């Protein structure tokens, strides 16, 4: 069970980090800001952070493989 949990945390973490990066990039692109100093970084990290949390919750609610190791 411990190995499965470690695998799940690794998968969910990787997915959440990718989601964070994609959301931050999409937010930067959509804002049409010209200079890096003009970016509202708090807003960008707020939106990306919410996407990160939602990705983790989605991984918990709908795991790709059951944690008990049994296939459905």
């Amino acid at each position: 069970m411990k190995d499965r949990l470690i695998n799940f945390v690794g998968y969910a973490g990787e997915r959440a980090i990718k989601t964070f990066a994609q959301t931050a990039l999409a937010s930067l692109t959509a804002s049409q800001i010209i200079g890096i100093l003009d970016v509202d970084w708090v807003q960008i990290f707020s939106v990306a952070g919410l996407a990160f949390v939602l990705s983790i919750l989605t991984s918990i609610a709908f795991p790709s493989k059951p944690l008990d190791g049994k296939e459905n």
Side-chain angles (χ1 to χ4, degrees), residues 4 6 12 14 23 27 30 34 38 42-43 54 59 66-68:
R4 290 187 194 106
I6 290 171
E14 178 181 352
T23 304
S27 296
I34 296 174
D38 298 328
V42 173
Q43 180 73 25
L54 291 175
S59 294
L67 293 179
D68 60 6

Side-chain angles (χ1 to χ4, degrees), residues 9-72:
V9 169
Y11 166 77
E14 178 181 352
R15 177 181 168 182
I17 290 169
K18 287 179 180 179
T19 300
F20 180 91
Q22 291 168 348
T23 304
L25 183 60
S27 296
L28 283 169
T29 304
S31 65
Q32 299 177 352
I33 301 295
I34 296 174
I36 195 165
L37 298 177
D38 298 328
V39 176
D40 184 0
W41 290 107
V42 173
Q43 180 73 25
I44 298 292
F45 284 113
S46 175
V47 172
L50 177 60
F52 179 90
V53 170
L54 291 175
S55 178
I56 293 291
L57 292 175
T58 301
S59 294
I60 291 169
F62 306 105
S64 62
K65 293 183 180 179
L67 293 179
D68 60 6
K70 298 177 185 175
E71 296 295 327
N72 293 332

